[in-house]
Amino acid sequence: MAVMPSSSDRSGGSCAARILVWVLAGGEAAASATIASVVAHTSPETPVVLAAGGHPPRLVRGPDHLRDADQDAFTGAVDAYDVAVVTAPCAVTPGWLEGLRAAAHSDPQVAAAVALDIAGQPGGEALLGERAAAARDRAPAVPRRLGAGAGACVYRRASATQLTGVPGPDPGFETATREHGLSVVLAEGVLVAGQPAPTGGRSAGEGGAATAGPEPALRDALAAERRRWQRLSVLIDARALAGARDGTRTHLLELLTALCGHGAGRVAVSALIPPGLDAETRRRLTAIAGLSTIVLEPSAPVPPDLHADVAHRPLQIAADAEMLTLRGLADRVVITHQDLISYHEPDYFADAGAFSGYRAMTARALGGADAVLFFSAHVRDQALAEGLVDPARCHVVGLTARATAGEAGDMGRASATVGRVAGGAMPAGRPPGLGAEDPAVPILLCLGSDYRHKNRPFAIAVHAALRRRHGWRGHLVLAGPRVRWGSSAALERAAIAASPDLQASVRDLGEVSDAQRDWLLSRASLVLYPTLQEGFGLVPFEAAAHRRPCLWAAGSSLAEILPATAARITPWDADASAAAAHRLLTDFAEAGAVIDAVSGAAAELTPARLADRLITAYRAVCEQPPRAADGGALSEDAVRLVGPDGLLPREIERPLLALAARERFARPAFAALAAAYRLSHWTSGRRRAPR
C-alpha cells in the first residue's frame, strides 16, 4: 500500500507530507540522542524512522498508515518521500530540514544535498546552535556541487528514486544517481555535528563527512566555517630574511612584530625561515612574542602537518616553484607586490629572455594568488593598468614606520635635538669602511642599494655642489647592497674619478649591518634619498626616528605618505637641491620642520594599523572562493609527471629536486638522461622504419 504524496506536495507543499527522516544507528541505545535531536527540530507531522543494528526499520513517529503497514508496503511508501538520512550520533539544529530541502530542490538535476558536518572543530557541538543560525544567513543562493553524497546528514530526493529505482535510504542511491547524470550539492547553510569517519576505507573530509575522494568544495566550506569562530592561522614566508639587509628585510621583521603584537587573539602566526640565519636576525625573531618559526631546508620535505589558513609572502614571487610551494602550505595564498620596478626595467636582468620570463612569471603569480597586497595605491594602480590583478582581490595595506623608528615614544617636536649631530652617546657599530676619520667631520648619508632607480649618482652631484657652491667640508657616505644587474656603480665611479675632491670625500661602504645602519643614522647630519620611484619608502622615517632631516623628491608612492611641502629635492637639479640641503644643514628650525612633518606622517603608520589592515585582508580573502590552481607554469609533460595522476612517484620528487639544486651534479646527470632519451627515440625509429 504505497502512499504517494498529493499534487500539492509535488509542487512544493507541506514539508511534513513530503519528507521522511531516516535515522541509521549501530543500535537503538546509540540512536537515542540523535532521535531526540531530530524530533526536537522537525515538524510533528514529519515521519521519523529508525534503522538500527541490522533490525528492520521501525516508525518512531508518523502516521498510522505507515505504522500499520507490512514491510513491503512500508518500503513502497518510503519510496514516495524525500528522505533525510541521518547517521547517529548526529545533532541537528532548527531549520535543518528546510535548509536541506531548499538546497536539494535548487535545480531539477540535483539528487541530494549534504549538510555541513562540523564535528571535530573546536567548540563545534557547544556552539552548534549559534553557529547554525549564522550559517543560515550566509547560505549561498546557488549551492556548490560535490563529487560524492555521503555524510552524517544527507537529503535525498524522491524524484531521483523515481528515475533510478533506488530508494533514498539505500546505500546504492549515490552510485545510481551519479550513473544517471544527477548531482549532489553542499547545503552550507545547514550545520550538524556528527561523528568523524574512521580512518581507512573512504577518505574523511574535515569535520568527518566521508567522501569518495578529495572534496575541495567541502574542505573549503568547513575551513571557512571554522575560521569564522577561531583564530586564523597565518604562515609568513620569511625566507628572504637570509637576503640583503634592505627595506624588504626591515618590512618582514616589522610585519611579524605587528601581527604577533597587535593581532594576538585574532591570528596565530608562524614564519617560514631559511637555515643559517645570522645571530642578529635570530635574536630579533626570538624577541617576537607569540611567533612560531619553522626552518625549511632547501631539499627537505615540507612537514605533513604544516598547513595554514593563509600563506603570505610579503614580497614578489621570484620563481614558479615558490608559488607551488605556497599552494601546498595553505588554503589561501597572499602575495605582497612591493613595486613594478623590475617588471618595467629590462636592464635589471641578465638578458631579454630573463626579463620576459620574469614578466610572464609575475603575471602568473599575481593572477593565481588569492589576494595581492600593496604598500601604496600608486603601485596598485600600476598593476591594475597592466592587467596583472583582479580589482576585487587587491588590498592596499601600507606598512609601519613606527617600528622602524625604534618605538621610542613621541617622535614629534624633534627640532630641539636636531642640532646635536655629533654630540651625545653614539651607538656601537661604527662601520670599518670609514677608517679613522675625524668624528667632527659632518656626514651626508645616502642609504639604499645601487640599483639605478635609487639615483645615487644624483646624491654624488648634490654633495659636489654643496662643496663647490657652499663651501661645505663634510663627507658623503653611500651605504647599501651592490646589485649585479641594473647597477649605477659605473656611473658613480665615473663621477667620483672626475674630481680629486670627490675621491677624498665620498665613501662607499657597501652593505652594512643593522647596528652599523643605526650608527650611520645617528652620526649623519643629513640623509639624502634621491630615489626615482619606490613602492613605499622607509628611509625618511628612519632618518626622523634618529632626529635627522631627510632630503627627498615628491612623487611616486612617497606622495601618499609624506607631505609634498616637506620634500626639498628639485627634480633633478643638483644645484637647487644642494641649496636646499645647505639650508637643512645650517638652519635647525627648518630641519626640525622637516623632521616634524615626517614624524607626523609616521604617527599614522603604526604597527596596530598594519596588523588591522593585514588581518582584514586575510579575512576577506578567506571569504572569497579560492583561485583555481594555475597550471600555466607547467608544460603538458610536466603535468603528466607531477599532476594529480602524475607518473613520477612522490618519493622520487624530493631527491630529484635536491639533485637539480646542485648544478655541478645536475648538469651531467640530466645531460646523460637526455642523451639516453634521444638514443632510445632514434633506436625505436630505426626499428619502425620499413626495410
Side-chain angles (χ1 to χ4, degrees):
M1 49 179 280
V3 179
M4 300 298 291
S6 67
S7 59
S8 61
D9 295 332
R10 290 180 184 274
S11 61
S14 168
C15 206
R18 177 77 173 172
I19 307 171
L20 178 146
V21 179
W22 190 281
V23 178
L24 293 173
E28 295 214 11
S32 59
T34 301
I35 292 287
S37 178
V38 166
V39 168
H41 298 305
T42 56
S43 167
E45 292 79 21
T46 302
V48 178
V49 174
L50 173 63
H55 298 293
R58 68 175 181 84
L59 191 67
V60 175
R61 184 184 72 182
D64 291 341
H65 65 265
L66 287 180
R67 189 182 306 278
D68 299 335
D70 59 29
Q71 191 60 50
D72 290 340
F74 180 82
T75 302
V78 169
D79 291 351
Y81 283 84
D82 284 4
V83 177
V85 180
V86 182
T87 303
C90 181
V92 298
T93 56
W96 72 283
L97 204 52
E98 292 80 2
L100 281 171
R101 181 183 186 280
H105 286 260
S106 61
D107 190 277
Q109 193 260 343
V110 174
V114 179
L116 199 59
D117 184 0
I118 61 171
Q121 291 194 1
E125 292 189 42
L127 297 173
L128 179 60
E130 183 180 354
R131 293 176 64 170
R136 283 195 296 273
D137 295 336
R138 293 190 304 267
V142 179
R144 287 190 278 184
R145 291 186 60 166
L146 294 175
C153 184
V154 184
Y155 186 105
R156 295 168 176 172
R157 291 180 60 178
S159 59
T161 294
Q162 293 164 3
L163 177 66
T164 64
V166 179
D170 195 297
F173 180 90
E174 177 188 336
T175 301
T177 54
R178 189 168 59 246
E179 289 174 348
H180 281 75
L182 300 179
S183 64
V184 176
V185 298
L186 177 62
E188 295 180 54
V190 179
L191 300 190
V192 299
Q195 182 180 36
T199 304
R202 294 176 301 169
S203 61
E206 182 179 354
T211 66
E215 284 283 4
L218 178 59
R219 288 198 304 269
D220 190 63
L222 283 164
E225 177 60 31
R226 171 182 50 75
R227 287 190 292 261
R228 294 184 184 107
W229 295 86
Q230 67 182 60
R231 292 191 302 169
L232 284 180
S233 57
V234 178
L235 176 66
I236 303 298
D237 183 356
R239 289 174 289 178
L241 287 174
R245 297 175 182 276
D246 54 11
T248 294
R249 179 178 174 277
T250 300
H251 172 59
L252 271 170
L253 294 170
E254 290 174 353
L255 182 148
L256 292 169
T257 302
L259 279 176
C260 291
H262 299 276
R266 292 181 288 168
V267 289
V269 185
S270 54
L272 197 64
I273 62 174
L277 281 178
D278 61 275
E280 183 180 0
T281 303
R282 290 200 306 272
R283 176 186 61 77
R284 294 188 63 176
L285 288 173
T286 303
I288 301 175
L291 176 65
S292 300
T293 56
I294 302 141
V295 179
L296 187 64
E297 298 281 350
S299 59
V302 175
D305 58 344
L306 179 57
H307 195 82
D309 294 316
V310 175
H312 178 194
R313 180 177 173 86
L315 66 155
Q316 283 91 320
I317 292 289
D320 286 310
E322 293 174 345
M323 192 68 177
L324 292 173
T325 297
L326 293 175
R327 274 283 170 219
L329 293 175
D331 295 332
R332 301 289 189 275
V333 173
V334 174
I335 297 172
T336 295
H337 203 73
Q338 298 175 346
D339 57 64
L340 269 75
I341 297 171
S342 294
Y343 189 82
H344 292 140
E345 292 292 342
D347 291 341
Y348 283 13
F349 297 87
D351 51 42
F355 175 56
S356 62
Y358 172 81
R359 285 172 61 90
M361 182 272 302
T362 298
R364 287 192 297 270
L366 297 187
D370 295 295
V372 182
L373 311 186
F374 298 95
F375 291 157
S376 66
H378 174 78
V379 179
R380 177 205 59 195
D381 293 345
Q382 286 184 325
L384 288 171
E386 295 284 354
L388 293 171
V389 291
D390 179 352
R393 293 179 181 264
C394 292
H395 303 268
V396 177
V397 297
L399 42 69
T400 174
R402 291 294 293 266
T404 305
E407 299 279 11
D410 183 15
M411 296 193 302
R413 316 322 313 166
S415 57
T417 58
V418 69
R420 294 188 229 143
V421 174
M426 290 292 297
R430 176 187 175 91
L434 287 180
E437 295 173 352
D438 184 348
V441 174
I443 287 178
L444 286 181
L445 177 62
C446 182
L447 287 171
S449 65
D450 63 353
Y451 274 118
R452 285 212 292 262
H453 72 272
K454 295 293 185 181
N455 205 16
R456 298 200 329 178
F458 184 77
I460 297 172
V462 171
H463 168 65
L466 266 173
R467 294 179 68 86
R468 183 180 68 253
R469 298 172 65 90
H470 301 279
W472 192 68
R473 297 281 68 108
H475 289 172
L476 171 65
V477 174
L478 304 171
R482 298 182 176 96
V483 300
R484 185 175 184 185
W485 310 109
S487 169
S488 62
L491 296 173
E492 295 168 28
R493 288 193 298 268
I496 295 170
S499 168
D501 181 57
L502 293 180
Q503 294 174 35
S505 62
V506 178
R507 302 286 183 270
D508 186 354
L509 303 182
E511 186 174 358
V512 294
S513 68
D514 290 344
Q516 291 167 346
R517 189 183 184 95
D518 284 340
W519 189 95
L520 289 167
L521 284 163
S522 298
R523 177 71 173 77
S525 300
L526 175 66
V527 177
L528 297 180
Y529 194 50
T531 180
L532 297 170
Q533 56 177 322
E534 290 295 326
F536 188 87
L538 284 172
V539 171
F541 298 104
E542 292 183 278
H546 289 80
R547 309 297 193 263
R548 298 298 177 259
C550 181
L551 201 72
W552 76 90
S556 184
S557 299
L558 295 174
E560 296 179 34
I561 54 173
L562 293 171
T565 54
R568 294 294 193 267
I569 287 181
T570 301
W572 294 102
D573 186 328
D575 289 343
S577 300
H582 188 257
R583 289 193 297 272
L584 292 176
L585 288 165
T586 56
D587 186 337
F588 293 160
E590 181 162 355
V594 170
I595 295 173
D596 288 348
V598 178
S599 300
E604 301 297 322
L605 303 175
T606 63
R609 174 182 177 269
L610 174 62
D612 288 343
R613 289 192 172 190
L614 285 170
I615 294 171
T616 298
Y618 296 155
R619 287 284 180 190
V621 71
C622 287
E623 290 297 324
Q624 291 178 306
R627 286 288 202 190
D630 180 17
L634 299 177
S635 67
E636 182 180 347
D637 289 340
V639 171
R640 291 177 64 190
L641 279 174
V642 298
D645 300 311
L647 301 175
L648 188 69
R650 281 295 180 110
E651 62 271 16
I652 299 299
E653 291 179 7
R654 188 61 62 169
L656 278 178
L657 177 61
L659 174 63
R662 292 164 174 79
E663 187 174 359
R664 66 190 182 115
F665 298 119
R667 282 182 178 275
F670 292 155
L673 186 62
Y677 170 76
R678 288 194 297 270
L679 178 62
S680 172
H681 190 70
W682 178 79
T683 304
S684 62
R686 294 266 300 179
R687 285 198 299 267
R688 290 195 302 269
R691 296 184 179 278

